[in-house]
């Protein structure tokens, strides 16, 4: 179940659109299912000026604000259910709309000064909630984090309806113990030599020696250096290999970017500073270079996996960024709201693309060539009919089957009354 929030400044125009045929004529049987406009009853007759009446009922608190009114005081939320499941009844959709206005604070239960709102339906698997942000007491509803609250409530509703797959059981993580280890720096000296500093224990020294470094002990202390005869083209690969071994042994390694062969550089990022973007770029190359559907599905699954995919991780990062902005500055709610809205949009995209990798994977199965099968069946039937005709035809009784099969269908055998054909000597 997905929700989308919008704002507009013209209530009458919005209602005219929702009650009309829509841009593509997909609005069917528009009807009001619930709402609360306080002293203005919404159970109005179907005929007459219904839409102007509803618009005036919703806009009354906004008009009382005068110059304090917002530029876009109309709050619109569309909630869409999964079309793969049976549609909800109007009563069930009315309950969904009520939960939406309660969880956002548009109309909390028992609040006499709540905002005015209505809910209407004009499509299957969807409901529209329309409210004005002016409260009865003259204050304004704060829309901060409305989208986050609605999406969380929609997930709860979908779970109650059985529309969500069961959540996977989390795999318990083995507790890791951090053992303090020296920090090792591998860099290029001003002289051009590649040195490793900080390897003061025997293990790190052995790993560097195994990679190709030579140990030096002088008044500067213990350090390691690549031989000066090492080809320049091999320095980066040796340094990167040494850094990988040290990192695997839980050493903290600082590797000069110029020596990191695993860091992808691009014209826009010559130093390879944006590691996450480089990893996604590699994933893009894997998708483009996939030799079959299984390889493409494996690469796409890295993007869309519901637990550890790139989209899920990016959604969590944006949500955390929005929360961090709020912690840094309480007045930066607009920036936090944008980050949170972006996180919710990614959640919507993830749900829309669920199962895509599995759909790509089955593309490797051979297609069903029904047309070819029908052609072969028709040819077999035609051959059977032709064979039966030859078996019953007097003129073709003595003709070998291989020759009779090559006679065009438009040429009829000669009649017995015409006599045999003259032979060519």
């Amino acid at each position: 179940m997905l929700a989308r929030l919008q704002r507009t400044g013209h209530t009458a125009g919005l209602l005219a659109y929702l009650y009309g045929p829509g841009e593509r004529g997909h609005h069917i049987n528009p009807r009001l299912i619930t709402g609360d406009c306080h002293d203005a009853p919404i159970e109005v007759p179907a005929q007459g000026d219904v839409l102007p009446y509803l618009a005036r009922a919703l806009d009354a608190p906004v008009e009382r604000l005068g110059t304090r009114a917002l530029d876009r005081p109309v709050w619109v939320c569309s909630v869409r259910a999964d079309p793969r499941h049976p549609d909800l009844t109007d009563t069930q959709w009315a309950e969904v709309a009520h939960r939406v206005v309660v969880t956002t604070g548009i109309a909390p239960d028992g609040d006499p000064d709540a905002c005015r709102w209505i809910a209407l339906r004009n499509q299957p698997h969807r409901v529209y909630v329309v409210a004005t942000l002016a409260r009865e007491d003259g204050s304004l509803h704060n829309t901060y984090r409305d989208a986050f609250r609605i999406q969380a409530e929609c997930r709860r509703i979908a779970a109650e309806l059985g529309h969500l797959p069961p959540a996977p059981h989390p795999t318990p993580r083995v507790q890791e113990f951090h053992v303090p280890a020296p920090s090792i720096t591998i860099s290029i000296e001003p002289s051009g030599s590649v040195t490793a500093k900080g390897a003061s224990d025997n293990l790190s020294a052995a790993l560097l020696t195994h990679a190709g470094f030579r140990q030096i002990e002088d008044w500067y202390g213990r350090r390691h250096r690549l031989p000066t005869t090492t080809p320049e083209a091999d320095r980066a690969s040796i340094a990167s290999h040494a850094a990988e071994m040290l990192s695997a042994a839980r050493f903290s390694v600082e590797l000069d970017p110029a020596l990191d062969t695993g860091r992808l550089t691009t014209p826009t990022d010559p130093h390879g500073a944006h590691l996450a973007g480089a990893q996604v770029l590699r994933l893009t190359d894997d998708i483009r270079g996939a030799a079959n559907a299984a390889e493409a599905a494996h690469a796409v699954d890295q993007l869309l996996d519901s637990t550890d995919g790139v989209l899920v991780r990016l959604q969590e990062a944006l949500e955390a960024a929005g929360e961090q902005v709020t912690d840094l500055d309480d007045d930066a709610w607009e920036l936090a709201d944008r980050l949170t809205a972006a996180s919710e949009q990614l959640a919507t995209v993830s749900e829309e693309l669920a199962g895509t990798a599995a759909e790509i994977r089955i593309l490797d199965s051979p297609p069903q060539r029904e047309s070819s099968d029908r052609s072969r069946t028709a040819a077999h039937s035609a051959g059977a009919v032709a064979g039966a005709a030859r078996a019953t035809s007097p003129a073709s009784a003595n003709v070998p089957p291989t020759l009779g099969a090559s006679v065009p269908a438009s040429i009829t055998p000669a009649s017995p009354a015409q006599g045999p054909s003259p032979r060519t000597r």
Side-chain angles (χ1 to χ4, degrees):
M1 185 168 287
L2 305 176
R4 182 186 180 191
L5 276 179
Q6 293 177 290
R7 295 270 296 276
T8 183
H10 194 246
T11 309
L14 173 65
L15 294 179
Y17 167 75
L18 294 177
Y19 273 88
E23 295 178 356
R24 301 178 181 86
H26 54 281
H27 291 177
I28 303 171
N29 187 24
R31 57 197 181 277
L32 185 69
I33 58 173
T34 188
D36 185 7
C37 287
H38 295 276
D39 57 338
I42 59 174
E43 295 81 6
V44 294
Q47 64 276 9
D49 56 348
V50 178
L51 299 187
Y53 173 83
L54 288 177
R56 289 193 299 269
L58 289 170
D59 286 340
V62 179
E63 294 175 354
R64 289 197 294 266
L65 292 178
T67 58
R68 295 192 300 114
L70 300 172
D71 292 335
R72 294 184 300 164
V74 186
W75 184 93
V76 189
C77 176
S78 62
V79 182
R80 179 169 64 89
D82 191 340
R84 294 172 293 184
H85 295 278
D87 196 4
L88 305 182
T89 64
D90 284 358
T91 302
Q92 291 174 311
W93 276 119
E95 176 62 23
V96 171
H98 177 258
R99 291 177 64 169
V100 165
V101 296
V102 169
T103 193
T104 56
I106 290 286
D109 288 332
D111 186 355
D113 297 322
C115 299
R116 301 189 179 195
W117 64 279
I118 60 173
L120 57 94
R121 298 195 61 202
N122 55 19
Q123 298 179 57
H125 299 91
R126 189 184 296 264
V127 68
Y128 287 91
V129 182
V130 181
T132 46
L133 299 178
R135 293 168 50 85
E136 294 295 312
D137 58 1
S139 62
L140 296 173
H141 169 69
N142 185 2
T143 60
Y144 175 61
R145 295 183 69 82
D146 274 1
F148 175 80
R149 297 188 180 99
I150 291 174
Q151 200 59 55
E153 186 67 20
C154 285
R155 286 181 178 272
R156 286 190 287 268
I157 295 173
E160 294 172 7
L161 295 174
H163 290 186
L164 292 180
H169 296 288
T171 303
R173 295 184 177 180
V174 179
Q175 184 178 3
E176 296 183 356
F177 297 94
H178 178 70
V179 179
S183 177
I184 302 173
T185 302
I186 304 176
S187 60
I188 302 176
E189 298 292 332
S191 61
S193 62
V194 178
T195 60
K197 299 177 181 179
S200 57
D201 62 297
N202 293 333
L203 176 58
S204 60
L207 292 175
L208 286 170
T209 303
H210 178 73
F213 284 78
R214 291 181 180 177
Q215 182 170 314
I216 301 173
E217 291 191 22
D218 51 19
W219 56 86
Y220 290 109
R222 191 180 193 181
R223 54 200 172 93
H224 294 76
R225 177 187 296 168
L226 282 181
T228 56
T229 57
T230 304
E232 187 174 353
D234 296 338
R235 295 189 309 171
S237 59
I238 295 174
S240 294
H241 179 53
E244 290 175 0
M245 290 192 296
L246 291 168
S247 298
R250 302 298 180 87
F251 289 97
S252 176
V253 183
E254 294 182 9
L255 180 62
D256 193 316
L259 298 172
D260 191 355
T261 58
R263 184 172 301 210
L264 181 64
T265 60
T266 62
T268 56
D269 187 17
H271 299 291
H274 298 88
L275 300 180
Q279 292 174 354
V280 176
L281 188 57
R282 287 196 187 95
L283 193 57
T284 303
D285 293 337
D286 292 342
I287 295 174
R288 288 174 175 165
N292 50 50
E295 292 182 5
H298 177 73
V300 171
D301 189 55
Q302 306 299 311
L303 288 173
L304 306 179
D305 184 78
S306 59
T307 305
D308 298 305
V310 174
L311 283 183
V312 172
R313 291 292 174 258
L314 182 57
Q315 172 201 345
E316 295 172 351
L318 287 173
E319 183 178 351
E323 295 174 353
Q324 185 66 17
V325 165
T326 306
D327 294 339
L328 294 174
D329 187 354
D330 293 337
D331 295 331
W333 58 269
E334 291 185 357
L335 175 58
D337 203 19
R338 291 203 306 271
L339 292 168
T340 304
S343 173
E344 291 158 1
Q345 290 174 2
L346 284 181
T348 301
V349 172
S350 298
E351 293 184 7
E352 289 286 349
L353 297 179
T356 301
E359 295 178 11
I360 295 176
R361 189 172 289 108
I362 64 176
L363 296 179
D364 267 340
S365 57
Q368 301 293 331
R369 304 186 180 277
E370 297 179 357
S371 59
S372 300
D373 294 341
R374 286 196 297 267
S375 300
R376 286 195 295 269
T377 303
H380 178 73
S381 301
V385 172
R390 289 195 300 272
T392 57
S393 173
S396 61
N398 299 323
V399 179
T402 55
L403 297 178
S406 63
V407 177
S410 61
I411 302 177
T412 57
S415 173
Q418 297 175 352
S421 301
R423 294 182 179 180
T424 304
R425 296 184 180 273

